[in-house]
Amino acid sequence: MAGKRKIGLALSGGVGYCLAHIGVLKLIEQQGIEVDCLAGTSGGALIGAFYASGIRADRMEQIAATISWNRLVAPTRVLSSKGLVSSEPIEHMVDELIGKGRRFSELKLPFSVVAVDLLSGGEVIFPQGPDDLVAPAVRASCSVPVVFGPVRMGEWMLSDGGIKAPLPVEALRHFRPDVSIGVVFDTGRYEPKNLFEIGLRSMSLANDKMLELYDQELDLLLRIDTGEIPNWDLKLAMGLVEVGYQAAARQLDKIKACAAGDAC
């Protein structure tokens, strides 16, 4: 359509909270608004990879309902792996759902992923080249420190992109969208029940201040209230698909204005 604005979507990390991204995408699809490019960090990289490959929101919701931690983690030798469990199953799942060995250049939408190199301390934004594979990059971005062992890739030792980029604004900027929309999660109130939840909640709290700064760098920042749902419990987090949908619905006028070229 002539005059259509190029819309970019930045999806934050948040483990189970990232299921709310599906609800946001569902609302956008129903309104006939086309996303032209995406960037994802951590769990946002996983949802972004599915969407950029052509998997629609309703299908993602079906997939999410079948996912358990048994499918996402694998036992590992703690002393040698630098993590309690391996994130290798995440890579296998991405390969299974979007096509084994699929490159970024083969996706239906331009898509980028952020990871962090633990050796240099710098962000690594994928793709670095036309032959870069999607699944290993997503796995690296999802590798929450201590919980998952880092992913060795060339000279890098890669870990969760949320360490330095809880919302992948810079990665999205590479696509030069006319409109930049970000989706983040307000840290709810709940008592962490185990080592994993303590680590994840600590990381979320540490990122709160950084996320506030993104409001000035985007045309629209959608903040989703996660309530008392812990981000480690995937079954409870399924309810966040609807929470994400409703959060986007409340901001629908602004989303439409952004898409139309008006003030968001």
Side-chain angles (χ1 to χ4, degrees):
M1 182 173 66
K4 181 189 181 302
R5 305 188 84 198
K6 183 178 181 181
I7 299 174
L9 200 59
L11 304 179
S12 70
V15 194
Y17 291 163
C18 292
L19 297 181
H21 289 319
I22 299 173
V24 173
L25 290 165
K26 186 175 180 179
L27 185 281
I28 288 174
E29 283 180 6
Q30 288 178 353
Q31 294 299 318
I33 298 170
E34 294 183 7
V35 174
D36 299 290
C37 54
L38 302 99
T41 286
S42 196
L46 187 64
I47 300 299
F50 293 158
Y51 202 72
S53 73
I55 299 175
R56 306 294 280 181
D58 57 351
R59 175 59 183 142
M60 279 195 278
E61 192 171 3
Q62 293 172 355
I63 293 168
T66 68
I67 290 177
S68 67
W69 283 112
N70 290 335
R71 190 177 176 188
L72 296 177
V73 303
T76 188
R77 294 170 57 190
V78 174
L79 294 179
S80 63
S81 70
K82 303 180 177 69
L84 298 176
V85 290
S86 169
S87 58
E88 187 175 0
I90 294 175
E91 182 175 341
H92 294 326
M93 182 181 69
V94 175
D95 266 336
E96 175 189 336
L97 292 172
I98 74 170
K100 185 172 177 58
R102 198 163 181 182
R103 298 176 174 85
F104 281 88
S105 59
E106 297 169 334
L107 295 174
K108 294 187 176 181
L109 294 175
F111 174 58
S112 62
V113 166
V114 181
V116 169
D117 177 24
L118 295 180
L119 301 180
S120 68
E123 292 178 31
V124 179
I125 298 176
F126 293 98
Q128 296 272 310
D131 293 328
D132 280 0
L133 302 179
V134 177
V138 171
R139 173 192 174 187
S141 186
C142 289
S143 293
V144 179
V146 181
V147 177
F148 293 114
V151 177
R152 284 281 188 180
M153 197 179 296
E155 297 181 352
W156 296 316
M157 180 185 284
L158 299 175
S159 192
D160 194 312
I163 297 170
K164 299 198 72 171
L167 186 66
V169 173
E170 187 62 34
L172 184 65
R173 237 183 238 127
H174 289 185
F175 299 128
R176 300 175 183 266
D178 298 312
V179 178
S180 297
I181 300 173
V183 184
V184 299
F185 308 104
D186 287 330
T187 305
R189 179 182 178 85
Y190 70 89
E191 179 182 348
K193 302 294 186 183
N194 54 50
L195 178 64
F196 300 117
E197 288 186 8
I198 290 171
L200 292 168
R201 182 157 177 79
S202 298
M203 191 170 169
S204 295
L205 292 170
N207 286 336
D208 276 354
K209 286 293 182 184
M210 197 181 306
L211 289 173
E212 289 177 11
L213 300 175
Y214 291 132
D215 203 7
Q216 306 166 20
E217 301 184 43
L218 296 160
D219 296 292
L220 180 61
L221 182 64
L222 299 178
R223 304 190 71 102
I224 298 176
D225 183 358
T226 57
E228 298 183 3
I229 298 175
N231 59 357
W232 188 256
D233 191 326
L234 294 181
K235 294 305 178 187
L236 287 178
M238 272 304 297
L240 286 170
V241 175
E242 179 63 19
V243 171
Y245 182 91
Q246 294 300 331
R250 287 191 292 273
Q251 298 291 320
L252 181 56
D253 288 345
K254 291 184 178 181
I255 295 172
K256 285 183 173 179
C258 285
D262 301 325
C264 297

